[in-house]
Amino acid sequence: MTDTGGDQVEEAVASCTALLRAAAGHDWDGTRAGRLEWNCRRTAEHIAGDLIAYAGQLAGRATTAYVPFEITMDEGTDDAGVVDVIETTGALLAATLRTTPREVRAFHPYPFRSANREGFAAMGVAEVLLHTHDIAEGLGLPYEPPAGLCAWVLTRIFPHVRPEPDAPWSTLLWATGRGDLPGRDPLTEWRWNNNLVIGTERLTLQGVTPAAAADLHAGGTGGFAWIEGGPFEGTRFAAGMVVSSYEEGAHRAEWGMFVLVRREDGLAVGGIGFHGVPDAEGHAEVGYDLAESARGRGYATEALRALAETALARDDVKLLIAAVEQENAPSQRVVARAGFTRASEDVEKAARELHGLEASLRLYSREA
């Protein structure tokens, strides 16, 4: 899993410009673009504007706001000229994606205030596909982009949306309020989700998308450069849990899995995350592991402390739980240093009776 998103942007732009070039003789100015308030001409210009804006964010390494510029068409530019601009701005975004290092993040407001190159690529592809659909709908033209491209977008910036088997385009349209799916209520509000990143002194905890989780679970790298011996088996198992929750529609990015990446060299050293969203009482379970070559340096403690503090700062979280093997003294020291305390024997007994806690495990908790 090593793609930068450049190929996907080019594929999306090609599907867009093929339709728009064939439609250049239609009344773009006088035709509303599908369900949008814009006409088709304004929507086409917006596609070009998004592509160059995303390229600008990454190239300029913007961290606090959008780079303050926008694109305008020369006076007298016809519809075919607008298509040329879409093609050009798409090429610029693709080139930027291919030359931006993996660890670079730039500002985007939704929902965690930043995105990496893959996130900007997915947002760019989504803008192209969806607004091409809007124009096609307005002009009464058929349009359906490649299914693989739609699935690529969904597994990167729509982790909260349950995929519809064999219907990624219909799922993407439904997820953005543009279509219906059997058994699902129509959406009137929607927003995509880039991955969450939590920083510590030596690490960044990088949220794992369903796409990355699937690759990790299948034996790949998830798009990360790993330290020798990584990822550890626990990380691959946790990635499988992410895939399952995504397929069920139960995955939420902030309650998923994170890969621990060292700031000094960009190498991934382990994984950490939750076993699911908090329950009705505000309780959530955490787990973690490290590649063997990264152990004994305090990385797990540093990561667990940061993850716990982030979670417990929320109003809907009251208690975090960690289950540790009785014989695993190093892991017991990790949770203790991260502010967790041993649960009472009565609590452990109840956990065994009610939740099937294995006898070899000991419970630790940290309260808000």
Side-chain angles (χ1 to χ4, degrees):
M1 185 178 176
T2 58
D3 62 74
T4 64
D7 291 349
Q8 288 75 16
V9 168
E10 289 180 340
E11 185 178 7
V13 169
S15 79
C16 165
T17 55
L19 181 135
L20 296 187
R21 287 197 192 284
H26 292 67
D27 181 12
W28 289 21
D29 288 306
T31 304
R32 182 172 169 176
R35 307 181 189 189
L36 303 183
E37 296 296 327
W38 299 332
N39 63 25
C40 292
R41 167 76 178 219
R42 174 70 184 88
T43 305
E45 292 177 349
H46 176 77
I47 294 173
D50 279 336
L51 292 170
I52 195 63
Y54 291 159
Q57 290 300 100
L58 280 175
R61 307 293 196 261
T63 58
T64 59
Y66 285 114
V67 179
F69 77 99
E70 61 182 50
I71 190 171
T72 59
M73 307 294 157
D74 289 345
E75 185 176 350
T77 300
D78 60 10
D79 295 341
V82 176
V83 179
D84 289 339
V85 177
I86 292 173
E87 205 163 50
T88 300
T89 53
L92 289 171
L93 176 57
T96 302
L97 293 167
R98 290 177 177 130
T99 56
T100 298
R102 190 199 172 281
E103 292 303 303
V104 169
R105 298 188 72 84
F107 173 83
H108 189 278
Y110 303 137
F112 304 122
R113 312 297 290 178
S114 73
N116 59 12
R117 67 187 184 192
E118 190 174 54
F120 277 106
M123 290 187 291
V125 171
E127 294 281 4
V128 172
L129 301 186
L130 294 169
H131 289 314
T132 303
H133 162 80
D134 296 332
I135 295 170
E137 188 175 52
L139 297 176
L141 301 173
Y143 174 69
E144 183 168 346
L149 203 54
C150 302
W152 191 87
V153 170
L154 288 167
T155 55
R156 284 156 175 82
I157 57 173
F158 290 92
H160 52 292
V161 173
R162 175 169 56 87
E164 190 71 21
D166 304 318
W169 178 227
S170 297
T171 304
L172 183 57
L173 291 176
W174 174 84
T176 56
R178 289 172 166 84
D180 299 319
L181 281 177
R184 304 196 202 187
D185 293 333
L187 294 182
T188 56
E189 295 183 359
W190 63 273
R191 189 168 284 179
W192 54 46
N193 284 265
N194 282 292
N195 67 324
L196 172 62
V197 172
I198 300 170
T200 73
E201 181 181 356
R202 297 180 297 166
L203 305 168
T204 57
L205 282 57
Q206 301 185 16
V208 173
T209 65
D215 188 62
L216 279 167
H217 186 55
T221 65
F224 298 90
W226 286 88
I227 194 171
E228 181 181 356
F232 197 63
E233 59 187 26
T235 295
R236 297 200 187 279
F237 177 80
M241 294 173 60
V242 171
V243 174
S244 295
S245 65
Y246 169 67
E247 292 174 345
E248 296 166 1
H251 179 61
R252 297 297 177 266
E254 59 269 47
W255 301 112
M257 172 186 167
F258 300 79
V259 165
L260 282 54
V261 178
R262 279 197 311 216
R263 292 183 183 273
E264 66 180 70
D265 55 13
L267 292 180
V269 298
I272 193 169
F274 300 94
H275 291 205
V277 300
D279 62 20
E281 297 179 337
H283 298 178
E285 184 177 354
V286 296
Y288 53 88
D289 72 4
L290 291 176
E292 291 187 13
S293 58
R295 295 174 186 174
R297 306 180 192 181
Y299 293 142
T301 299
E302 187 173 327
L304 180 58
R305 185 182 294 122
L307 188 69
E309 290 173 353
T310 299
L312 292 171
R314 296 171 56 106
D315 293 336
D316 56 347
V317 181
K318 306 301 180 186
L319 183 76
L320 295 181
I321 299 168
V324 182
E325 289 285 347
Q326 181 179 2
E327 303 301 324
N328 193 341
S331 190
Q332 292 171 19
R333 290 193 290 270
V334 167
V335 293
R337 288 194 295 262
F340 287 69
T341 57
R342 173 77 183 274
S344 67
E345 291 184 5
D346 289 341
V347 170
E348 287 186 346
K349 180 180 179 181
R352 292 191 184 93
E353 294 175 351
L354 297 175
H355 305 293
L357 180 73
E358 295 180 13
S360 62
L361 296 176
R362 296 293 177 263
L363 284 184
Y364 292 78
S365 65
R366 176 172 169 174
E367 296 184 20

